[in-house]
Amino acid sequence: MKKIGLTLLLLFTIVQLSTAATVKIGMVTTLSTKAGYLGEDIRDGFALAIEQGAGTLGGIPVELMVEDDGRKPEKGKQIAERFIKKEKAHILTGIVFSNVAMAVVPKVVRQNVVYLSTNAAPSKLAGKGCNPNYFSVSYQNDNLDEVVGQYVTEAGHKTAYLIAPNYPAGKDHLAGFKRFYTGKIVGEVYTKLGQSDYAAEIAALRAAKPEAVFFFLPGGMGINFLKQYAQAGLSKEIPVYGPAFSFDERILKAVGPAALGVKNGSQWTHDLDNAANVEFVKAYQEKYGRMPTLYAAQGYDTARLIGSALKAVKGNIEDLDAFKAELKKADFASVRGNFSFGVNQHPVQDVYIREVIETENGGYTNKTVKKVFSNHIDAYAAECKM
């Protein structure tokens, strides 16, 4: 009788899952411009999780719709509106850049649609602008810079020169570094978003004679800066530091030896020794033929988080309060290991320093050096009044 009862229960569960309505997920991301690979990796990490679930997340059928925002806030708004109004998307995700996020996310969450960030996490959405419909699965923008500020202080550098693009994330990232760096800032420069020539900035930096340089220049911007910095002969004179965004696996392939030995901050690296990460890195390499980046890991984690919540509510996405409550539990195995949500629905997680090293086949990758922060909470959580 027990065996028959168990069989009936399993059959009932299968029928329940098979009849669940397809949950539509709209991904607004950057697939063009020199930063297009960032969105590609987010999309590919997310899609891998769906493939592993045979077209489902948490056993619930999902449809992933992906469109390119071209790194343009207005285009991002148009895509998001179409996903919500025309396609009836239940969940939105995928934005890479904070200026796009600031244009899109506040309007999305006001329409009672859940947005989960796979990357951009500006401070305005972490503090007073927090919202019950907004979850950051990546970090808060400042986090990966705070760990570098702490490390550069511990390394004994008395002066530092800072460079970042002039947009919300650029300002957040430099603020994060300064929050934990106790030395003197001898230069703070904001460049044009998408800038490719850094000759003037490098000349000014040389004249300032800092003991260290901290920069946040994601995607192609970071590639150009690192190459030009090395060509100017400064890489051997003044050490460079930054967050992981300028030292991911695909940037390192383009930059080459100019990045060797650079220390950078991250909440994830492919060498983190936990079961979920080992499985993810292996599966991603087999599927796409390349090492996953931070962006791919964040896309994958976001999909798996969604799956955990969908499974708990049996696919009933219409019960939005129940779905959000399950998201808040973060009941999934993150590739980062420790992962939970703070009061503002941003991650509480460990943060590391990595070093760029040469691989056996002559390529370049990151190696985890040390954990600097454990269960790190972002600086804006106390301002959130949810």
Side-chain angles (χ1 to χ4, degrees):
M1 288 296 292
K2 284 185 178 179
K3 195 172 286 186
I4 293 172
L6 180 59
T7 302
L8 288 172
L9 177 61
L10 288 171
L11 284 172
F12 178 67
T13 302
I14 292 168
V15 169
Q16 274 191 312
L17 294 178
S18 65
T19 57
T22 298
V23 174
K24 290 189 173 186
I25 302 171
M27 179 174 283
V28 184
T29 197
T30 302
L31 299 171
S32 58
T33 77
K34 290 181 179 179
Y37 80 88
L38 307 179
E40 284 179 14
D41 280 13
I42 288 171
R43 176 198 64 196
D44 291 351
F46 200 104
L48 176 61
I50 296 174
E51 182 179 289
Q52 289 176 333
T56 76
L57 289 176
I60 305 302
V62 296
E63 177 186 348
L64 179 63
M65 304 172 290
V66 184
E67 286 205 33
D68 175 26
D69 60 33
R71 206 170 64 192
K72 297 177 181 176
E74 193 57 39
K75 188 174 181 182
K77 286 167 64 176
Q78 292 168 1
I79 295 169
E81 196 66 13
R82 184 166 68 254
F83 278 157
I84 295 170
K85 300 295 186 185
K86 184 178 179 181
E87 304 297 340
K88 308 299 181 185
H90 305 94
I91 300 165
L92 261 59
T93 189
I95 294 173
V96 176
F97 289 91
S98 290
N99 56 334
V100 180
M102 286 307 303
V104 173
V105 173
K107 188 174 182 181
V108 167
V109 297
R110 284 198 299 269
Q111 296 180 70
N112 215 25
V113 173
V114 173
Y115 182 88
L116 295 103
S117 178
T118 53
N119 194 60
S123 57
K124 288 184 179 179
L125 299 180
K128 294 177 181 178
C130 66
N131 188 286
N133 294 331
Y134 174 74
F135 293 79
S136 173
V137 194
S138 50
Y139 43 70
Q140 190 281 312
N141 277 354
D142 304 19
N143 293 165
L144 307 194
D145 316 281
E146 292 170 338
V147 68
V148 181
Q150 179 66 31
Y151 185 83
V152 172
T153 295
E154 292 174 359
H157 296 303
K158 303 299 183 186
T159 59
Y161 196 96
L162 316 183
I163 303 175
N166 189 18
Y167 79 120
K171 294 174 182 178
D172 282 351
H173 285 287
L174 295 196
F177 178 85
K178 290 186 290 184
R179 188 172 294 120
F180 283 83
Y181 177 63
T182 60
K184 182 180 179 182
I185 305 299
V186 295
E188 184 171 340
V189 176
Y190 292 94
T191 66
K192 183 179 178 182
L193 186 61
Q195 184 170 318
S196 58
D197 184 356
Y198 295 94
E201 287 79 10
I202 290 172
L205 186 160
R206 188 195 296 273
K209 298 180 180 179
E211 292 184 15
V213 174
F214 175 82
F215 78 98
F216 164 71
L217 294 165
M221 293 179 286
I223 294 171
N224 291 325
F225 177 80
L226 283 170
K227 284 185 172 181
Q228 292 166 33
Y229 191 79
Q231 288 165 2
L234 289 175
S235 56
K236 295 180 180 179
E237 298 177 16
I238 309 170
V240 173
Y241 298 89
F245 316 109
S246 297
F247 302 96
D248 65 62
E249 306 300 319
R250 293 176 74 170
I251 279 185
L252 293 180
K253 187 175 181 180
V255 173
L260 190 61
V262 173
K263 306 289 198 313
N264 59 96
S266 185
Q267 88 283 39
W268 175 86
T269 310
H270 59 79
D271 64 359
L272 290 182
D273 189 15
N274 65 73
N277 195 45
V278 171
E279 178 188 344
F280 162 65
V281 171
K282 182 175 183 290
Y284 192 93
Q285 287 181 295
E286 289 176 353
K287 173 69 177 176
Y288 301 110
R290 64 180 188 269
M291 183 68 76
T293 62
L294 177 73
Y295 307 99
Q298 291 167 178
Y300 185 76
D301 261 1
T302 301
R304 303 238 299 177
L305 169 65
I306 291 170
S308 70
L310 288 176
K311 181 179 181 180
V313 299
K314 299 181 172 61
N316 182 15
I317 194 70
E318 302 304 326
D319 188 349
L320 204 59
D321 288 340
F323 177 66
K324 288 186 291 186
E326 294 300 331
L327 286 175
K328 188 75 179 278
K329 292 177 183 177
D331 187 18
F332 76 109
S334 170
V335 297
R336 285 164 261 184
N338 290 341
F339 183 97
S340 61
F341 282 117
V343 294
N344 58 349
Q345 297 178 171
H346 282 61
V348 176
Q349 59 191 336
D350 300 339
V351 196
Y352 306 84
I353 285 291
R354 319 184 302 181
E355 181 178 1
V356 179
I357 62 169
E358 190 168 2
T359 63
E360 292 180 358
N361 61 6
Y364 300 91
T365 189
N366 285 286
K367 177 184 178 180
T368 302
V369 174
K370 65 181 292 188
K371 178 167 50 173
V372 178
F373 294 140
S374 296
N375 295 317
H376 189 58
I377 300 172
D378 69 89
Y380 305 95
E383 299 174 13
C384 177
K385 303 303 179 186
M386 277 197 291

